[in-house]
Amino acid sequence: MAIRTIIKYPQDEATLRKVSKAVDVFDERLGVLLDDLRDTMYKAKGAGLSAIQVGVLKRVCVVDTGKRYLEFINPMIVKQSGINKIIEEGCLSLPGEWGEVIRPNKVEVEFFDRFGVPQKNTYIGYEAKAICHECDHLDGILFIDRMQEQKAAKAQKKDKKRK
């Protein structure tokens, strides 16, 4: 398939901040998009890639953390628990940027496969973290936003303890 251009922050922030639209047509074009996302992710040596990162506003993402390759169409995290031990996080759209983000250790995800068949599965550890990261992209959220939120929450907690 084709290697697509991964859009970058801050140059393409306006695009990365958009909320992706649900997929309602499961056709050959969707299959091509999924294959392109996979090939682009592997070429960039990433663990995940969402369609928005290549400028396509569809709720589609792929993940491969070394354990297995996964495809998600219209993913919804329906349950989450625990705290992931993997704290450091990066992103193909923010090359060279790394930061600490707390994510759940276990997530239950409802989604569709490339053929439109509903799926439900539970993911643990690095897969859970990567899926949360990619699902955030579909809602226009970057990992640096989560870092800021968590720093602010930590500071607020410290302030309450002082009072």
Side-chain angles (χ1 to χ4, degrees):
M1 293 292 133
I3 304 299
R4 300 202 186 193
T5 301
I6 298 171
I7 62 175
K8 306 289 191 253
Y9 175 92
Q11 301 90 322
D12 296 308
E13 181 177 8
T15 299
L16 290 168
R17 297 292 185 185
K18 291 180 179 175
V19 175
S20 298
K21 295 179 171 113
V23 171
D24 53 9
V25 176
F26 294 81
D27 59 7
E28 189 177 319
R29 288 181 61 194
L30 177 61
V32 169
L33 174 61
L34 285 161
D35 293 343
D36 289 355
L37 287 174
R38 179 197 60 223
D39 294 346
T40 303
M41 174 186 67
Y42 286 151
K43 177 134 174 59
K45 296 182 171 52
L49 190 66
S50 63
I52 191 70
Q53 289 178 273
V54 296
V56 178
L57 242 59
K58 292 187 185 273
R59 296 189 78 77
V60 176
C61 59
V62 297
V63 170
D64 189 340
T65 61
K67 190 174 178 182
R68 59 187 159 172
Y69 170 72
L70 303 164
E71 298 178 337
F72 299 93
I73 294 99
N74 300 336
M76 283 184 38
I77 297 170
V78 294
K79 283 186 188 173
Q80 56 185 357
S81 62
I83 296 175
N84 204 301
K85 291 179 180 157
I86 302 165
I87 302 296
E88 196 164 70
E89 199 165 310
C91 180
L92 293 174
S93 289
L94 288 89
E97 294 282 330
W98 292 88
E100 293 184 0
V101 180
I102 297 168
R103 302 266 191 194
N105 192 53
K106 184 177 180 181
V107 294
E108 187 176 300
V109 185
E110 292 178 355
F111 60 99
F112 293 92
D113 68 14
R114 68 169 52 214
F115 307 105
V117 178
Q119 307 286 323
K120 185 176 188 176
N121 208 343
T122 300
Y123 303 93
I124 299 170
Y126 191 19
E127 286 183 333
K129 184 174 187 69
I131 292 164
C132 289
H133 177 106
E134 297 310 323
C135 285
D136 271 356
H137 271 300
L138 302 178
D139 291 324
I141 300 167
L142 303 175
F143 84 95
I144 55 174
D145 302 330
R146 295 287 185 210
M147 286 173 45
Q148 295 304 320
E149 288 172 6
Q150 290 170 7
K151 281 181 186 176
K154 209 181 232 183
Q156 192 175 40
K157 193 174 181 180
K158 279 184 182 179
D159 285 347
K160 282 185 181 180
K161 281 184 178 180
R162 289 183 193 150
K163 292 179 181 179

